[in-house]
Amino acid sequence: MDDLRDAAAGGETRWTAPPLPATSAEYITVLAHYHRAEMGRMAGWRDRIDRTTNWAITGVAAMLSLSLSTPTSHHGVLIFAMILVQLLLLIEARRYRFFDVYRGRVRKLEKHYFAQILDPMPDPDTKWGHLVGEDLRRPKFMISTRAAMSRRLRRNYIWMFLVLLLAWVLKISTPKLQDGGAVHDVAGSLAEIVRNATFGPLPGWLVVAGVVMFYVWLGYLALLTDPDEKEHGEVHV
């Protein structure tokens, strides 16, 4: 501060780097404050993740109610709901990638420092401080968008997609839910079901093929192996 006052008195502004911790006590204090800061950032992104999931659940419930409540409602509402949930999954995957960055830093501190204080054990990773420092200097994502989508799909979104699929199949295979005045409960043939799947100028067979391909892709995405998840033990988000 004296240097800054002297420089200001001379008409010049000179900034100096803040002092680094000089003692063990100061170092521990810095780590404690840093851990709390990273926990706050991680919690903030976790709240954003939960908020996106809540939007998806609310959207699915609204679309189901709109589509199945009246025969005049088109089955395309459920297809639109699938697209909407997929968009929310993409948004949540992006948020999850940010969350995973801060969770990775917190896990390194807890695993290699705080755990060693409470229960000292031989630590094979002696360069964890260097890794945290490099990540602070040049932050980068730890997982890809595809891996993030796969994790969130397995956790929550696969169930929403399955509910939408069942509702869509029920809609096109139940004449009472079609705007045609039919009185029987089940479609008489597969051709009738495919015909009910017609969406504007698109023929029913093309719509059915598109939905099947979309869900095959979702199944492939959900079954992708993710060995990095073991880093966080049995507690996953």
Side-chain angles (χ1 to χ4, degrees):
M1 295 298 296
D2 292 338
D3 292 340
L4 290 177
R5 282 195 295 267
D6 293 342
E12 298 180 357
T13 301
R14 182 176 60 188
W15 298 98
T16 58
L20 297 176
T23 64
S24 299
E26 292 177 352
Y27 185 82
I28 293 172
T29 301
V30 169
L31 276 183
H33 285 292
Y34 171 66
H35 177 259
R36 184 166 60 246
E38 291 292 357
M39 285 289 293
R41 299 169 78 179
M42 184 182 72
W45 281 100
R46 173 60 193 272
D47 178 68
R48 294 186 179 186
I49 293 173
D50 293 340
R51 202 174 305 169
T52 311
T53 303
N54 291 337
W55 293 344
I57 294 173
T58 303
V60 168
M63 295 300 180
L64 288 175
S65 176
L66 178 63
S67 177
L68 301 179
S69 62
T70 173
T72 59
S73 180
H74 197 270
H75 72 89
V77 172
L78 295 172
I79 295 179
F80 174 75
M82 296 175 189
I83 298 173
L84 178 62
V85 173
Q86 174 60 29
L87 175 62
L88 289 172
L89 176 59
L90 283 170
I91 295 173
E92 185 161 321
R94 178 182 178 275
R95 294 180 173 184
Y96 185 86
R97 295 181 74 194
F98 281 95
F99 162 80
D100 192 62
V101 170
Y102 306 124
R103 179 176 64 169
R105 296 175 184 172
V106 170
R107 285 293 299 130
K108 286 184 176 67
L109 285 171
E110 292 177 345
K111 180 179 179 180
H112 301 290
Y113 185 75
F114 292 105
Q116 290 294 92
I117 294 175
L118 299 173
D119 183 23
M121 295 178 62
D123 190 354
D125 189 358
T126 58
K127 296 182 179 180
W128 65 269
H130 170 72
L131 295 177
V132 173
E134 286 298 311
D135 189 48
L136 289 173
R137 289 188 178 94
R138 288 177 291 274
K140 60 182 180 180
F141 291 117
M142 301 174 63
I143 60 173
S144 63
T145 301
R146 186 178 67 172
M149 288 179 61
S150 179
R151 290 186 186 181
R152 300 313 297 159
L153 186 62
R154 286 195 302 271
R155 297 290 179 271
N156 296 323
Y157 281 78
I158 190 63
W159 307 110
M160 291 183 248
F161 280 117
L162 289 177
V163 168
L164 288 173
L165 177 62
L166 291 175
W168 181 74
V169 172
L170 177 65
K171 182 72 175 180
I172 65 175
S173 63
T174 306
K176 280 187 176 181
L177 296 177
Q178 300 292 323
D179 189 17
V183 296
H184 50 290
D185 294 326
V186 183
S189 64
L190 180 61
E192 182 181 353
I193 296 176
V194 173
R195 185 168 59 253
N196 290 337
T198 301
F199 188 21
L202 301 177
W205 67 266
L206 184 60
V207 176
V208 171
V211 171
V212 170
M213 292 177 60
F214 175 68
Y215 274 85
V216 168
W217 175 74
L218 285 178
Y220 165 76
L221 187 64
L223 294 176
L224 286 176
T225 57
D226 192 2
D228 294 337
E229 271 189 308
K230 297 179 180 179
E231 170 68 20
H232 306 293
E234 295 182 354
V235 182
H236 300 298
V237 178

